[in-house]
Amino acid sequence: MFFWQIYRDQLLPVADIVTPNLKASTLLHGIKLQTVSDMCAAAKSIHNMGPRRLCFIEWPVKTTRAKGGDVPASSYAFDIFFDGMEFYELCKRFTDVASFQGNMILKLANFLQAAKRCLEVFRSHGVPLLINDHIDIALACDADGVHVEQAHEAWVNGADYIGSGGVYSTNTKANNITIGLDGLKTVCLASKLPVVAIRGIGPSNAHAVMELGLENLKGVAVVSALFDRECISSE
């Protein structure tokens, strides 16, 4: 008995959701899939074999030559969902993976070089440098730490502190959610880690933040108040 027969006869009848790729769908359906209509027919056929909720078939992203010669060339990626009643189709134009990876490598290389230059400046003034989100960059440039977004995950993985905000509105973060001083207080009371207040904080409101008097509120992070100035030392 072939593996796909075991899959069909023993696994599908007890499954809630199945996600066969194009090659597996062809084996199960018994007909080579070459069009989106073929995919829909296969999804319906496979759903009838037992899955209770959903059959999902993906048409992999392809370049101008099909990988392995088993799929016609296409400039689009297709995903077909079938829930036993309705078909749902997702379609997106092909992304050149090699180009995408090349751009990402270039961006990371530029990021690393900028981080190294910043580290020299920060170290010369006795200021620690924390890298936002990118643990790899922080390790590569020997930064003093890394800032990550998820507080609970940070705590579980041994973080030293969490950042909480935005305390005020800011231009440095897209779709910034403002929690205000009350929200900051709630986070501080719930947090097992020291807290640093972030976003929208500058000379005009930093004192009000620290006046909350919370035991684990250890400081504020300032960005725009520094980097939006021509010369901070003259102000």
Side-chain angles (χ1 to χ4, degrees), residues 95 98-117 131-132 134 136-138 140:
T95 297
S99 175
F100 175 78
Q101 290 176 335
N103 289 336
M104 287 299 297
I105 291 171
L106 180 60
K107 288 180 179 179
L108 288 173
N110 290 337
F111 190 175
L112 177 59
Q113 291 304 312
K116 288 180 177 179
R117 291 195 297 269
I131 301 297
N132 191 53
H134 286 270
D136 49 354
I137 298 295

Side-chain angles (χ1 to χ4, degrees), residues 17-65:
I17 299 172
V18 294
T19 60
N21 60 23
L22 207 65
K23 185 172 292 185
S25 299
T26 297
L27 287 172
L28 291 167
H29 182 51
I31 300 174
K32 187 173 182 179
L33 310 185
Q34 301 191 57
T35 67
V36 175
S37 295
D38 292 341
M39 294 173 67
C40 290
K44 187 173 183 179
S45 172
I46 294 169
H47 188 276
N48 289 337
M49 295 176 187
R52 288 183 285 273
R53 296 187 182 176
L54 181 70
C55 177
F56 159 56
I57 299 178
E58 60 175 341
W59 187 304
V61 176
K62 295 295 171 186
T63 59
T64 53
R65 187 178 73 83

Side-chain angles (χ1 to χ4, degrees), residues 146-175:
V146 61
H147 169 78
V148 295
E149 292 290 340
Q150 300 299 324
H152 179 72
E153 181 181 347
W155 174 65
V156 170
N157 289 302
D160 298 305
Y161 76 98
I162 64 169
S164 177
V167 179
Y168 302 104
S169 60
T170 178
N171 294 324
T172 62
K173 188 76 171 182
N175 302 317

